[in-house]
Amino acid sequence: RPPPQVSCVSAQHFARLHVPVATELTPLAGLWSAVYMSHGLEIVLVEYGVDGTIIATKVTGDECVPAGEKTWTACTATLRTSLTSEEGSILMESEQEADMQDFESDRELELENVTPPRYIYDPFNSPEHLNNRGPVVRCYDGKGLIASEGYTSPTWVDGCLWEYEGGGISFVYMTSPHVVLNFSRCEVSL
């Protein structure tokens, strides 16, 4: 008797994405990209709730938090124009890490005597770009979603959203260790 035939079916679902336009009242609305650590480059849709809450939903997901799920929120009612001492330390650490990555990249280039691209993982958030963001001008308290592989044990943790003078944003997961995701606006042309 022959073995049973096995067929593999692959289904994809595409949906039209409504991208809100940034306005004076909703300046961060739109698409943003960031490197989510080892998960790579991901895109989030930032919208404002009726209560003014800033909500980031994953457009591209990963094995822990899939597309379509909220990834972080920030409360506009908690607007601050300065960082807490803990946030200031985190910002300094992230800038030092970016400077160190820049230095190590330059050193590797000297040692290998080749000219590969300086920043492989995310051209939007290279240390050069990060250093040109300018100072943090607005901070909002928020919550970030973390989960295990397969979207198991999703948990909201404390976080904060930083808005830079140069137009970028960062979301900081106030976990141990801290995780800083540096976002750049995705330009959409229709």
Side-chain angles (χ1 to χ4, degrees), residues 11-28:
Q12 293 183 346
H13 175 78
F14 295 97
R16 184 172 302 275
L17 184 62
H18 169 73
V19 180
V21 176
T23 67
E24 194 173 307
L25 295 175
T26 60
L28 302 179

Side-chain angles (χ1 to χ4, degrees), residues 4-190:
Q5 294 289 327
V6 177
S7 63
C8 184
V9 176
S10 175
Q12 293 183 346
H13 175 78
F14 295 97
R16 184 172 302 275
L17 184 62
H18 169 73
V19 180
V21 176
T23 67
E24 194 173 307
L25 295 175
T26 60
L28 302 179
L31 293 173
W32 294 80
S33 66
V35 173
Y36 272 69
M37 301 180 309
S38 63
H39 302 293
L41 184 66
E42 296 195 28
I43 297 173
V44 300
L45 175 67
V46 174
E47 300 175 287
Y48 286 74
V50 292
D51 62 351
T53 300
I54 303 168
I55 303 162
T57 303
K58 285 197 173 186
V59 174
T60 56
D62 55 54
E63 59 273 6
C64 295
V65 179
E69 296 295 334
K70 292 178 185 172
T71 186
W72 52 262
T73 63
C75 179
T76 56
T78 63
L79 171 65
R80 294 178 280 119
T81 54
S82 62
L83 299 173
T84 65
S85 59
E86 182 180 17
E87 291 169 345
S89 297
I90 295 167
L91 179 63
M92 286 178 50
E93 286 172 20
S94 69
E95 288 176 347
Q96 288 171 350
E97 286 175 18
D99 289 343
M100 185 54 105
Q101 287 172 356
D102 192 26
F103 171 78
E104 288 171 359
S105 293
D106 288 344
R107 181 141 172 84
E108 286 173 15
L109 290 175
E110 290 171 17
L111 294 174
E112 295 173 9
N113 198 21
V114 294
T115 55
R118 284 180 71 171
Y119 308 105
I120 296 169
Y121 294 107
D122 181 10
F124 301 106
N125 292 306
S126 68
E128 286 175 341
H129 181 76
L130 179 62
N131 292 337
N132 291 330
R133 290 175 178 251
V136 174
V137 292
R138 283 182 273 293
C139 311
Y140 307 93
D141 293 334
K143 296 284 184 182
L145 182 66
I146 59 173
S148 298
E149 198 167 315
Y151 196 52
T152 56
S153 306
T155 305
W156 288 95
V157 298
D158 288 337
C160 55
L161 176 65
W162 296 340
E163 188 177 347
Y164 296 92
E165 184 177 76
I169 59 174
S170 293
F171 190 83
V172 183
Y173 289 78
M174 302 298 279
T175 53
S176 183
H178 300 106
V179 176
V180 180
L181 300 177
N182 299 304
F183 289 86
S184 295
R185 188 179 290 279
C186 297
E187 297 302 323
V188 179
S189 58
L190 302 174

